[in-house]
Amino acid sequence: PLFVKFFAPWCGHCKAMAPTWVQLADLAAQEGKTTQVGELDCTTEAGKPLCGQFGVKGFPKMKMLFADGDKVGVVSYEGLRGLDNMYDFLEKTVKPDPEKEASVKLKAAPAAPLPPPTGPSRVVSIEDTAALTSLLQTAPIMIKFFAPWCGHCKKMAPTWVHLADQTDKAGTKITIAEVDCTTNGGKPLCSKFGVNGFPKIKYVFSDGAGGAGVVSFSGPRSLEGFAEFMTKTSADPNAVKEETVQLVVAKFDETNSKALQLDGKLVETAREGDVFVKFYSPSCGHCKKLAPTWSALAGEAEAKKLGVKVVKVDCTAEASKPECKLFGVKAFPTLKYLFRDGDNVGVVKYDKKDRSLKGLQSFLDEASSDPHGHTGREEDVLKSGVRSKKKYVHVTGAGGTPKYSYAVEPLDDDGSAKDAKAEL
């Protein structure tokens, strides 16, 4: 145990009791007591946080401190400040009473400020995506994404320089770098990595296929915090990887697409089984952008054995023009799900703005599970090779949630409509 006097040098009461406190320390030592007598100056840089943690708001304050697991047990002394009174308290107080005073878990003292960096900085400045791609070929990178006006960035700048210096001297094969998110080259790079605040620290490594694996840093922005994070992450970065950012985008070639080309054979193929088709034009920019995703979707459908062919039709090819007209294609790309409906070909149009792989997969799952009642249902293609005049009514639930579709026959001579099917 430790009997502590919390004091301030300017405090008159502290000065008055100082001799008595010295006598108490001598008496405890002479009597062979295990309890030590000490004092803490609450005006020093080291003493201020400790006095704060023990709730000292006036001087002098005396407290008996005990080890209590990972905490410190506390019993405050509220008696007279005579030698006999305080010695009696020292002898009788064996352990704290939890009902009177809670134990205190001491916080680690703040690390001493780092000295200003000296010599040339070893932090590598990454100007754009090309520079990052090149640098990743040599080693993983610990990147600080920052803005020059950011106060927190300025505050941690010396630590970042020291980290680069320490890493270099240790021979660690990790590059310490930074990206200024306000420059022309830095803006798109920061956007690519989802940086929306400063500073942001990320461990980035090459995936060997033109992409960058990413692990975001979360922890104390200290030399020790950064070093510990790098040691743990570099041991197996793939195990803690959050995402992969594509850096090098290869030019896609339609001839290598996994989607089946069906120029002039679309209706024939749809009569045999379900088809998800992309109607496109080779000159269409949006079509080119969608092409790699469409190929990936075809690969996914095949791998998962969905029983759906993901295909494409070039509407500029002579063999395809009649079918593009038949399916009402007026813009590119146009996406439609086709399925066999008796002797006819049922049609479901994809009219969502989301053309991501995830969005297309979601639609494919929905359409393949129930194409007949899908809310994107359009007029069938009849056995005779023309579009049906039968229209589909799309029913929604609360909040506009799609529920089902049903068909309505064209108007009779008397102007009344006929329901061709009930709820599908």
Side-chain angles (χ1 to χ4, degrees), residues 345-365:
V345 173
V347 183
V348 177
K349 184 178 181 179
Y350 182 84
D351 56 4
K352 299 178 182 179
K353 293 182 179 180
D354 182 8
R355 291 177 183 162
S356 66
L357 182 59
K358 184 177 180 180
L360 293 170
Q361 285 174 328
S362 177
F363 171 80
L364 193 55
D365 290 339

Side-chain angles (χ1 to χ4, degrees), residues 214-234:
V214 182
V215 184
S216 297
F217 171 81
S218 61
R221 294 174 186 161
S222 64
L223 201 57
E224 295 77 13
F226 292 138
E228 182 181 358
F229 170 79
M230 288 194 301
T231 300
K232 290 181 178 179
T233 304
S234 61

